[in-house]
Amino acid sequence: MEFNSKEEWEKKIKRVIIPEEEIRKEIRKAGEMINSVYDGSPILLVSILKGSFIFMADLCREVTVPCEIAFMAAKSYFEGTESSGHVEITMDLKHDISRYHVIIIEDIIDTGRTLNEIIKLLKVREPLSIRVITLLDKPDRRVVELKADYSLFTIPDYFVIGYGLDYGEFYRNLPYIAEFEE
Ligand code: IMP
Ligand code: MG
């Protein structure tokens, strides 16, 4: 991705689909859910990098029960515009997750292949429980059966950017979620 001017970069931001205030409101609710379901037993919030870094930072500040934070990075291989289900873990957890209730913090579930592979891998390590919280869900695009335990926003099949999500590594810093101008 290359831009010659700020205008060129801006032109690709088609329209805001979820403004900042709305994201904030839904994150508060997601935090309340975590606080009501877990009562003090050890929680490990696992952010899948890079897409969920902002979501994790905002969500963890709504959590009022003891929790630890961890990061994991996965590289999904794509065939055309879809992930192939071949996932390589480029940064693994250092925690022994058998002592924790794991909550996976994801940016978006599209075909579901990437997360499906990550869940399979983590389940082998026998955490006390495992749940998935996703900021965005595109259920129309699903090719493997996978449902988040908690999804903040369900969106149609748009390519979206902002609030952690990228196009060619750009736009992650936008404070809102926007539709990308293809
Ligand atoms: P999946 O394996 O098809 O579910 O792919 C999920 C990954 O693809 C996400 O974690 C994102 O990194 C990326 N992705 C899918 N849809 C979008 C989008 O609309 N904008 C930005 N990244 C996306
Ligand atoms: Mg991504």
Side-chain angles (χ1 to χ4, degrees), residues 84-137:
S84 65
H86 179 65
V87 176
E88 189 189 322
I89 304 300
T90 53
M91 189 177 103
D92 205 346
L93 299 173
K94 288 172 189 73
H95 288 75
D96 168 10
I97 63 170
S98 67
R99 298 170 39 237
Y100 294 90
H101 292 284
V102 168
I103 308 179
I104 298 178
I105 309 296
E106 181 59 305
D107 56 349
I108 187 164
I109 308 179
D110 186 33
T111 66
R113 284 173 171 139
T114 307
L115 200 53
N116 193 45
E117 291 303 312
I118 292 173
I119 292 169
K120 267 198 256 170
L121 189 115
L122 294 184
K123 275 191 175 161
V124 173
R125 303 177 188 174
E126 301 185 323
L128 297 177
S129 68
I130 186 161
R131 280 193 171 86
V132 173
I133 298 184
T134 188
L135 174 66
L136 300 163
D137 190 2

Side-chain angles (χ1 to χ4, degrees), residues 18-42:
I18 311 172
E20 279 183 82
E21 311 79 67
E22 216 174 306
I23 300 173
R24 212 171 301 128
K25 203 175 87 200
E26 289 304 316
I27 287 187
R28 218 166 289 136
K29 285 196 225 161
E32 281 166 15
M33 185 281 290
I34 294 174
N35 299 334
S36 67
V37 169
Y38 301 90
D39 55 3
S41 42

Side-chain angles (χ1 to χ4, degrees), residues 50-51 107 166 172:
K50 301 175 196 168
D107 56 349
D166 72 305
R172 293 193 196 275

Side-chain angles (χ1 to χ4, degrees), residues 46-64:
V46 177
S47 154
I48 311 297
L49 295 173
K50 301 175 196 168
S52 68
F53 80 108
I54 297 180
F55 179 38
M56 169 67 125
D58 284 345
L59 180 60
C60 73
R61 282 178 285 179
E62 298 295 332
V63 174
T64 56

